[in-house]
Amino acid sequence: MKPTQTTTLMANAIRALAMDAVQKANSGHPGMPMGMAEIAVALWDGHYRHNPANPHWANRDRFLLSNGHGSMLHYALLHLTGYALTMDDLRAFRQLHSKTPGHPEVGITPGVETTTGPLGQGIANAVGMALAEYLLAAEFNQPGHEVVDHYTYAFLGDGCLMEGISHEVCSLAGTLSLKKLIALYDDNGISIDGKVEGWFTDDTPGRFAAYGWNVIADVDGHSVAAVDAAIAQAKLSDKPTLICCKTIIGKGSPNLQGGDKVHGAALGDKEIAAVREHLLWDPIPFDIPADLYTAWDAKAAGASMEAEWNAKFDAYRAAFPTKASELERRMAGDLPANFEEVLNAAIAACVDKKETIATRKASQNAIQALAPVLPEFLGGSADLTGSNLTNWKESTNLRSGKPGNHINYGVREFGMSAIMNGIALHGGFIPFGATFLTFSDYSRNALRMASLMKLRSIFVFTHDSIGLGEDGPTHQSVEHVSSLRLIPGLDNWRPCDTVESQVAWGAAVQRKDGPSTLIFSRQNLPFMERDATQIANIAKGGYVLKDAPNAQLIIMSTGSEIELAMASAAALEAEGVAVRVVSMPSTDVFDRQDAAYKASVLTRGTPRVAIEAGVTAFWYKYVGLEGAVVGLDTFGESAPAPVLFKYFGFTVENVVATAKGVLAA
């Protein structure tokens, strides 16, 4: 460890950069960076294994700022240690298109591992990363060849611990004994509204001890030596560790430290001058002495660490060439060379079998078909495995000390989804997790974050409508499918049968630039006949399922209502009305097709009717104000599914009457 005088100056460099950047932007949160500066020095200078020249080095430690509002702490660390983040980038804090946005964003700033800001999700991502490290190590490491061997560190504050998601994920992390997860808690007793003792009096050490964590309490967060010793102690534990660091928010600000005013606002010129005088710091903003750059510089050490690991991996490759190639493939996110062949064979098998089954069962069959060629599949369910059907014949359940490829997440829908995002961010796995569609509400912000980060997370939602039946309106999804379609970058699939289900799974797995939801029925749905062109067009999100020469009407639908669309078309044609039926399993994917293809499916000038067992507003973008939507803009009822579909007007008679009304207009 460096001398105390040096580490004090290193911490003050963080304080100075944070207050200067926030002041220049006149926006931001200086209190946390100033309060956690010594904690950052202890971790980043003494324990954190990383290479600024290669932020994507596979065996680097992962660092996550769960209290992401303190982003200038992270940016200061990245700049000082040698990442491609210049002083000009720090000066552009919170400005348009800068590398230093208001909250850390993966893919924007080199060295940032995840996008944080919504409190609690960073620690959830950290659980996912630690879980991925554990499972990859168990699968690939061999005696004398530990090529997967790194820690996941997370900073978090009172806000993260107040958020319910922290209970979900930290409970699971303790149960699974994720010993390479180390969280450092900024215990300063302050949030935006003031002293948290008025609304947050949890026994945090006791809470985490009850979860099964190793807890190191009452650490002086302003002593680099004390935090360093606590991290060293944490590495010896066989449990995840919470290090509780007592700190003063805004440390170094003579008039504002320790209070809420320093939490989320610029200090102001007068107070910044007082800080500089108090810290004996250079009065020139954004000026860091050369000797402090030298003290912080991690480039040489990082290059040495990576070179040492590369030599280790070369030896591993020589001894275990197949495993080495497989690990590289999976960390790169590439699919096996024969994946498309396996997918096409699975689709062909669905065509041959012509099964009438629930699409949740079709989903399980799709998983079963793909799993043998995808060892990176890491499935799971929020306590509904027997209903969501996310397991497969060869799957094994993950337990503490017992690796597996299927996770029983417990009743933790939000936690599950955010942990999946952490797994996807780490690399090496394609995570999928399931619950009932109505509980996508619990998961929603994690779905949004997956989209923002462009992660290959696959969210499986079953029991997708009033077809759920007797469980009633609390469990019957009405608005959910349409609302999920509003999230930018999220591909939503609601297939109508086994073939569309298999195609949807293939699309979700092959997509590397964003997440997907796969939305399935509880009830059986009939197989639909198609030719080869129609099967190929499923992957375009929308296609002509049944055509008619000189069609007078287009009926479009998704999922379980396709059967009704086909029956209604037959009834209309019996009365002399030529009808085209369009299946739109993914409106998101369909909307990305070129204009010519979309016009070939939804021909201009042809009257349109849409059918979906949910809210109607979304579908007017396709049917226009002259068209009509058969849906429901109320909550459901408790009754058998066939009774409900009839009660809410999902009948051939109602669709035919609606269509005639459109044609007559």
Side-chain angles (χ1 to χ4, degrees):
M1 186 189 301
K2 294 181 174 71
T4 301
Q5 183 179 6
T6 301
T7 58
T8 297
L9 291 171
M10 292 169 71
N12 287 344
I14 294 173
R15 292 187 170 98
L17 289 174
M19 70 178 185
D20 286 344
V22 172
Q23 182 67 24
K24 186 174 188 302
N26 195 28
S27 174
H29 298 75
M32 185 278 268
M34 297 176 75
M36 293 194 78
E38 283 83 8
I39 301 171
V41 173
L43 175 61
W44 277 61
D45 192 55
H47 297 273
Y48 187 48
R49 291 175 55 82
H50 63 120
N51 182 6
N54 183 12
H56 303 292
W57 168 35
N59 200 49
R60 68 192 182 279
D61 289 340
R62 270 63 170 179
F63 171 76
L64 299 90
L65 196 73
S66 192
N67 44 354
H69 54 272
S71 57
M72 265 310 303
L73 173 73
H74 203 174
Y75 300 150
L77 288 166
L78 294 168
H79 170 74
L80 292 166
T81 55
Y83 284 79
L85 198 69
T86 67
M87 190 64 85
D88 283 341
D89 292 323
L90 300 192
R91 290 189 179 98
F93 179 55
R94 290 191 163 221
Q95 303 309 301
L96 183 65
H97 299 151
S98 77
K99 288 185 180 180
T100 50
H103 292 83
E105 294 186 41
V106 68
I108 300 296
T109 313
V112 168
E113 300 282 1
T114 185
T115 300
T116 56
L119 294 176
Q121 287 198 64
I123 184 63
N125 296 164
V127 172
M129 290 184 184
L131 179 55
E133 191 276 343
Y134 163 68
L135 292 174
L136 286 173
E139 182 176 356
F140 286 99
N141 286 352
Q142 300 296 314
H145 295 274
E146 294 189 349
V147 292
V148 181
D149 181 20
H150 52 267
Y151 284 87
T152 300
Y153 298 99
F155 283 3
L156 69 163
D158 291 307
C160 293
L161 295 178
M162 284 185 247
E163 287 284 1
I165 189 173
S166 71
H167 294 260
E168 296 183 25
V169 301
C170 293
S171 168
L172 186 60
T175 298
L176 296 178
S177 304
L178 299 178
K179 66 180 183 180
K180 287 191 174 178
L181 172 61
I182 299 175
L184 294 105
Y185 166 35
D186 179 28
D187 183 9
N188 61 38
I190 295 292
S191 67
I192 290 175
D193 279 358
K195 294 182 179 180
V196 301
E197 62 190 19
W199 50 86
F200 183 58
T201 58
D202 294 13
D203 175 5
T204 297
R207 167 185 157 190
F208 275 77
Y211 290 155
W213 284 53
N214 171 45
V215 178
I216 303 174
D218 297 320
V219 174
D220 180 357
H222 298 301
S223 167
V224 173
V227 177
D228 173 77
I231 297 170
Q233 182 184 338
K235 290 180 175 179
L236 302 176
S237 178
D238 59 357
K239 302 174 181 179
T241 296
L242 178 72
I243 301 174
C244 301
C245 302
K246 292 288 186 180
T247 63
I248 299 170
I249 191 170
K251 174 76 170 175
S253 173
N255 302 301
L256 297 177
Q257 68 177 25
D260 58 278
K261 296 294 185 290
V262 76
H263 184 286
L267 301 185
D269 291 335
K270 183 177 179 180
E271 185 63 16
I272 285 179
V275 173
R276 294 185 189 284
E277 183 178 353
H278 177 69
L279 299 180
L280 303 177
W281 197 259
D282 186 339
I284 302 173
F286 296 101
D287 187 44
I288 302 296
D291 59 337
L292 284 183
Y293 274 119
T294 300
W296 267 115
D297 192 356
K299 294 191 293 293
S304 176
M305 290 176 192
E306 184 173 359
E308 181 183 346
W309 181 82
N310 286 339
K312 183 182 290 189
F313 195 82
D314 287 343
Y316 177 75
R317 188 196 308 281
F320 307 98
T322 302
K323 280 187 171 292
S325 295
E326 178 68 3
L327 179 57
E328 287 181 313
R329 176 189 73 78
R330 285 171 54 175
M331 288 302 292
D334 296 332
L335 295 176
N338 64 336
F339 175 79
E340 221 169 303
E341 176 186 342
V342 171
L343 174 61
N344 289 335
I347 294 169
C350 292
V351 173
D352 291 341
K353 290 180 181 177
K354 305 182 189 307
E355 291 180 294
T356 291
I357 55 177
T359 51
R360 61 173 173 153
K361 179 60 180 175
S363 168
Q364 186 178 45
N365 292 346
I367 296 169
Q368 185 64 58
L370 300 179
V373 76
L374 290 176
E376 57 262 53
F377 256 0
L378 183 56
S381 174
D383 203 49
L384 289 167
T385 302
S387 295
N388 300 148
L389 304 181
T390 49
N391 55 347
W392 61 101
K393 289 178 183 176
E394 299 82 14
S395 64
T396 56
N397 289 324
L398 170 69
R399 296 291 183 267
S400 177
K402 181 175 176 269
N405 53 9
H406 188 272
I407 304 171
N408 299 104
Y409 283 100
V411 187
R412 300 180 176 103
E413 296 89 355
F414 190 9
M416 172 183 71
S417 301
I419 287 171
M420 286 167 51
N421 289 345
I423 293 168
L425 284 159
H426 181 281
F429 294 99
I430 299 176
F432 60 92
T435 185
F436 289 172
L437 178 58
T438 193
F439 302 136
S440 64
D441 283 342
Y442 287 147
S443 310
R444 189 175 185 88
N445 201 262
L447 271 66
R448 184 177 187 273
M449 295 299 286
S451 294
L452 184 60
M453 292 188 276
K454 301 179 180 178
L455 302 180
R456 188 194 275 169
S457 295
I458 301 175
F459 303 98
V460 178
F461 297 122
T462 68
H463 297 59
D464 67 344
S465 70
I466 57 171
L468 179 62
E470 292 86 346
D471 276 349
T474 60
H475 285 53
Q476 292 166 5
S477 297
V478 175
E479 74 277 22
H480 297 80
V481 177
S482 286
S483 68
L484 290 171
R485 291 173 178 141
L486 297 177
I487 298 177
L490 180 64
D491 280 359
N492 301 278
W493 290 85
R494 188 174 183 243
C496 75
D497 70 352
T498 56
V499 177
E500 286 191 359
S501 297
Q502 186 70 66
V503 171
W505 262 106
V509 168
Q510 289 175 303
R511 188 180 188 211
K512 293 181 70 171
D513 63 348
S516 302
T517 73
L518 303 177
I519 300 167
F520 299 115
S521 72
R522 177 197 188 193
Q523 71 274 27
N524 289 346
L525 305 183
F527 173 82
M528 295 290 160
E529 294 285 353
R530 303 172 184 83
D531 61 27
T533 299
Q534 290 170 313
I535 292 170
N537 285 339
I538 295 171
K540 296 180 179 179
Y543 65 101
V544 178
L545 177 61
K546 187 202 79 68
D547 210 356
N550 302 312
Q552 300 162 265
L553 178 75
I554 295 174
I555 298 179
M556 65 190 80
S557 189
T558 74
S560 53
E561 289 72 68
I562 285 290
E563 178 183 10
L564 175 58
M566 293 290 279
S568 300
L572 284 163
E573 290 187 337
E575 298 185 28
V577 180
V579 179
R580 168 180 286 188
V581 176
V582 172
S583 177
M584 297 187 70
S586 177
T587 60
D588 309 282
V589 175
F590 178 75
D591 287 348
R592 291 201 297 271
Q593 304 307 309
D594 61 56
Y597 177 76
K598 289 188 284 189
S600 74
V601 175
L602 300 177
T603 51
R604 293 185 176 90
T606 307
R608 303 171 185 179
V609 172
I611 311 170
E612 190 169 62
V615 294
T616 60
F618 170 84
W619 285 99
Y620 285 98
K621 68 183 282 190
Y622 299 111
V623 303
L625 296 179
E626 301 79 15
V629 182
V630 176
L632 71 159
D633 292 312
T634 67
F635 293 112
E637 297 282 350
S638 179
V643 174
L644 293 174
F645 279 115
K646 182 176 181 180
Y647 175 76
F648 285 109
F650 293 94
T651 64
V652 170
E653 294 77 14
N654 187 41
V655 174
V656 168
T658 301
K660 288 180 177 178
V662 170
L663 291 170

